[in-house]
Amino acid sequence: MADKKTDVVVEQSLKNELYVGPLPHPDILKGFKEIDADFPNRILSMTEKYAAADVYEQQKRARRNFIVPILGQIFTFLLGISGMAGGVLLALKGMEAGAVTAIVAGFSPILIQAIKSLKK
């Protein structure tokens, strides 16, 4: 009797599924529906609320990023003008040292803001 060699081929496959999103995978939603028929609707409603809150926060952040620099520039301008006005008033009263100090102090916020703007 002759020895017969037989080759055995083993085939193996692996399936990997990745689902990314605000909602669970549809199969998981079906499982929730088996527990309670209202679960998928509640999950969808919750997801919509979170999405709306996220959009609101992004809009609020965008407004804040627009308004804060403008307010900073206005405040800097007002500090500069008040320092110069105070310097003029002190000079009119004969307090030259105080006048120079007030004018220099009035210009410093403007210079600081200008230097910060150049660094960006």
Side-chain angles (χ1 to χ4, degrees), residues 5-54:
K5 288 189 176 182
T6 57
D7 292 332
V8 177
V9 177
V10 177
E11 187 175 314
Q12 200 173 27
S13 66
L14 175 65
K15 181 180 178 184
N16 189 9
E17 194 172 310
L18 176 66
Y19 187 82
V20 178
L23 290 173
H25 190 278
D27 293 336
I28 296 173
L29 275 178
K30 287 178 190 173
F32 283 132
K33 191 172 186 175
E34 291 173 6
I35 297 170
D36 185 348
D38 195 38
F39 276 176
N41 291 333
R42 289 170 49 192
I43 291 171
L44 181 62
S45 174
M46 181 181 66
T47 303
E48 289 170 344
K49 287 177 186 175
Y50 279 128
D54 190 38

Side-chain angles (χ1 to χ4, degrees), residues 88-119:
V88 169
L89 287 175
L90 288 172
L92 290 175
K93 290 190 176 195
M95 298 181 217
E96 291 81 17
V100 171
T101 304
I103 291 173
V104 169
F107 272 115
S108 6
I110 297 170
L111 292 174
I112 290 169
Q113 187 65 28
I115 291 169
K116 283 183 179 179
S117 295
L118 289 176
K119 287 183 179 180

